[in-house]
Amino acid sequence: MPFNTELTRRLGIKIPVVQGGMQHVGYAELAAAVSNAGGLGILTALTQPTPEDLRKEIRRCRTMTKNPFGVNITLLPALAPPDYGAYAQIVIDEGINIVETAGNSPGPVISKLKAAGVIILHKCTTIRHAQSAIKLGVDFLSIDGFECAGHVGESDITNFILLSRARQSLKVPFIASGGFADGQGLAAALCLGAEGINMGTRFMCTVEAPIHDNIKQTIVKAQETDTALVMRRWTNTTRLYRNKVTDEAIKVEKESKSGKFDEMAPLMSGKRGREVFINGDPDYGVWTAGQVIGLIHDVPTCHELVTRIEKEAEETLTSKLKLTSLESKL
């Protein structure tokens, strides 16, 4: 069944599934595989050390797929912030017309991209933030529930409520992000008013994801209870896979008398997190994962996964329609 949603029409994709931007994961191999499967693959801009490296990665991705793909630009607090404007300019120069944005104060980057005719998908964890993003002129909102990996926001609102609130109050089309891994989830999101879904953790556990197989097997074996929240003390709450380093970070956060982030910084090292994906040791550093890990039980190719999701969603929507047909005959 070909899907026909605002997302598929505007982005030129066949299946309303977006591979979210993921630090140290969103490389050309994965993005191209998702796009070739009929979804939207996304390169993560800040995984590349410089804007010129992003240019090279965009061009490399183009050698792997002729289908649409996008770039993620996430703006987060940093002691030495990246030159976000330079990354955005590379996107424009290379003719990328779909960008996923997220994070703090995205206004200048969004304005720059919109002036160049780029379609913007902006991630939000609250309706208030979504309404602010609408004023910036974004084309789609990616409504990110509390189940998600990484930065969950500070409101703790799960997608079942958040998506319905989006349906009730937002005038811009939205997609559902956080907690999605299969076609039943896609069907549910569509029924709640979304135009598609965004998946991160599920795409980490695919053949093409450029991370060590030990980490993929760790996800397969995990339960939905195997994540933890850290950094709430600094209003930067983040969901991570629960391992030895995460537990140590939780202890420091709870017991620190000074409340200075300096005590946490060595444990929250992005460099150590990147090494996890290379050396395959799930306890080497912190790494993000959503509660959806409890729904992941295999490591398919992106084509197998997206095709399966399409079939499951079609079967689910069709079977539920039969319930109303049966009732009308009684």
Side-chain angles (χ1 to χ4, degrees):
M1 177 183 75
F3 282 92
N4 183 16
T5 73
E6 186 73 11
L7 189 73
T8 60
R9 292 191 297 271
R10 291 283 303 279
L11 272 54
I13 60 178
K14 295 180 180 179
I15 303 166
V17 174
V18 175
Q19 167 243 314
M22 295 174 279
Q23 188 71 350
H24 309 312
V25 181
Y27 290 96
E29 290 84 356
L30 179 59
V34 175
S35 290
N36 286 334
L40 181 76
I42 291 187
L43 300 175
T44 307
L46 298 185
T47 290
Q48 302 301 321
T50 70
E52 281 302 316
D53 287 310
L54 175 60
R55 187 194 303 277
K56 293 174 185 175
E57 194 70 2
I58 289 171
R59 293 180 178 181
R60 195 166 73 92
C61 195
R62 281 209 172 103
T63 68
M64 301 178 185
T65 183
K66 302 302 180 185
N67 294 337
F69 65 91
V71 172
N72 166 279
I73 300 178
T74 298
L75 299 87
L76 294 173
L79 295 175
D83 189 344
Y84 296 114
Y87 280 97
Q89 189 61 51
I90 292 294
V91 166
I92 294 167
D93 291 346
E94 290 300 311
I96 296 295
N97 64 357
I98 304 168
V99 169
E100 177 188 62
T101 56
N104 304 320
S105 304
V109 167
I110 289 176
S111 296
K112 185 182 185 80
L113 294 167
K114 287 298 298 177
V118 176
I119 296 172
I120 304 292
L121 290 71
H122 186 70
K123 297 190 81 170
C124 304
T125 58
T126 68
I127 298 301
R128 179 171 60 86
H129 291 150
Q131 290 167 335
S132 296
I134 290 173
K135 294 176 183 177
L136 296 175
V138 303
D139 300 274
F140 290 89
L141 294 156
S142 186
I143 302 299
D144 216 8
F146 183 58
E147 306 93 328
C148 72
H151 300 278
V152 302
E154 308 302 319
S155 300
D156 301 0
I157 307 298
T158 63
N159 255 330
F160 201 77
I161 300 300
L162 200 55
L163 293 174
S164 290
R165 284 283 289 115
R167 183 187 71 248
Q168 291 175 348
S169 59
L170 300 181
K171 304 302 182 184
V172 168
F174 62 91
I175 62 176
S177 179
F180 295 96
D182 52 32
Q184 288 81 2
L186 172 57
L190 294 174
C191 289
L192 288 171
E195 301 293 330
I197 58 174
N198 178 301
M199 302 194 309
T201 305
R202 173 66 268 199
F203 278 122
M204 285 175 65
C205 211
T206 57
V207 170
E208 294 91 348
I211 61 178
H212 199 288
D213 190 60
N214 284 354
I215 304 305
K216 298 176 187 180
Q217 294 305 321
T218 297
I219 294 172
V220 167
K221 296 172 185 174
Q223 302 296 314
E224 61 274 16
T225 50
D226 290 336
T227 69
L229 299 174
V230 300
M231 297 202 294
R232 173 142 290 178
R233 187 169 181 172
W234 296 278
T235 61
N236 190 22
T237 308
T238 302
R239 187 180 299 282
L240 303 171
Y241 175 75
R242 186 151 198 167
N243 62 13
K244 293 176 182 177
V245 183
T246 306
D247 284 341
E248 190 176 348
I250 292 170
K251 186 173 186 292
V252 170
E253 182 171 1
K254 286 181 178 179
E255 298 179 1
S256 170
K257 290 183 171 57
S258 71
K260 293 182 178 179
F261 182 72
D262 293 353
E263 298 177 54
M264 285 277 283
L267 299 170
M268 300 301 296
S269 165
K271 183 177 180 181
R272 285 178 64 176
R274 182 181 184 184
E275 284 297 315
V276 166
F277 296 150
I278 297 171
N279 66 26
D281 179 359
D283 285 310
Y284 186 80
V286 296
W287 51 284
T288 61
Q291 290 180 323
V292 74
I293 57 175
L295 304 181
I296 298 170
H297 308 299
D298 63 353
V299 185
T301 66
C302 289
H303 182 269
E304 289 167 344
L305 175 61
V306 174
T307 300
R308 182 199 306 169
I309 288 172
E310 179 184 28
K311 182 180 179 182
E312 289 172 345
E314 178 182 0
E315 291 175 348
T316 300
L317 292 168
T318 301
S319 67
K320 297 311 174 188
L321 278 174
K322 289 178 181 177
L323 293 178
T324 60
S325 300
L326 286 171
E327 186 175 317
S328 65
K329 294 176 181 178
L330 296 177

